[in-house]
Amino acid sequence: MPLESSSSMQLSFPSPLPLVPDSFTNSSPPPMSYITSQEMKCILHWFASWSGSQRERFLQDLVAKAVPGKLQPLLESLEQLSVSGANRPPCIFECQLRLWDQWFRGWAEEERNEFVRQLEVSEPDFVAKFYQAVAATAGKD
């Protein structure tokens, strides 16, 4: 019985190293943390119950975060602030905005963009207003 030449035989040895999934080799952003995804779900849940004026306030804050170097959104946000009496506790909405601000500052840019994408899925009209407001800041300082 003749032996086959080594060029026609294909030997397959298991790799000593585990294979790296394609999702890690194509330089895609790392997956969002569980905590961040829960924060986003929480904000989206709150948003669904906010009134029109509360959504407008959130829109101004979102625009100010999207274009932080622009003065106009900052001034509009300052107009919404009010000095509350020392005896008056903050309302639920104010607490939600504080948490939103704290969480947003901790998110990476990709996570911030993902939040807007998720908001657009559930509230496309609101996100369209957001994009219009951001575009309106162009050239204004």
Side-chain angles (χ1 to χ4, degrees):
M1 183 171 178
L3 294 174
E4 293 184 39
S5 71
S6 63
S7 63
S8 66
M9 252 172 78
Q10 295 292 325
L11 297 176
S12 177
F13 296 102
S15 172
L17 300 173
L19 293 175
V20 177
D22 288 338
S23 62
F24 290 115
T25 58
N26 67 5
S27 72
S28 63
M32 188 179 350
S33 78
Y34 175 77
I35 292 172
T36 301
S37 68
Q38 293 304 304
E39 290 169 349
M40 289 181 188
K41 285 180 183 178
C42 195
I43 296 163
L44 293 170
H45 177 76
W46 294 338
F47 185 90
S49 66
W50 287 342
S51 68
S53 62
Q54 290 170 328
R55 288 180 178 207
E56 280 300 314
R57 172 66 184 91
F58 181 73
L59 175 64
Q60 291 174 356
D61 191 64
L62 188 59
V63 170
K65 286 173 174 28
V67 284
K70 299 291 184 174
L71 186 59
Q72 191 63 31
L74 178 62
L75 292 175
E76 289 172 0
S77 291
L78 287 175
E79 288 176 8
Q80 297 296 320
L81 293 177
S82 63
V83 179
S84 60
N87 296 332
R88 188 181 74 78
C91 69
I92 297 291
F93 177 69
E94 291 167 347
C95 293
Q96 290 170 340
L97 284 185
R98 288 180 189 158
L99 279 172
W100 144 254
D101 183 64
Q102 178 184 345
W103 292 342
F104 185 87
R105 283 187 274 123
W107 296 345
E109 183 177 350
E110 297 85 19
E111 294 168 331
R112 293 172 178 185
N113 291 334
E114 175 60 19
F115 173 75
V116 172
R117 190 197 65 74
Q118 288 183 25
L119 185 59
E120 186 171 25
V121 168
S122 61
E123 299 288 340
D125 293 339
F126 178 84
V127 174
K129 284 176 63 175
F130 164 70
Y131 287 134
Q132 289 172 350
V134 168
T137 66
K140 295 182 180 178
D141 287 327

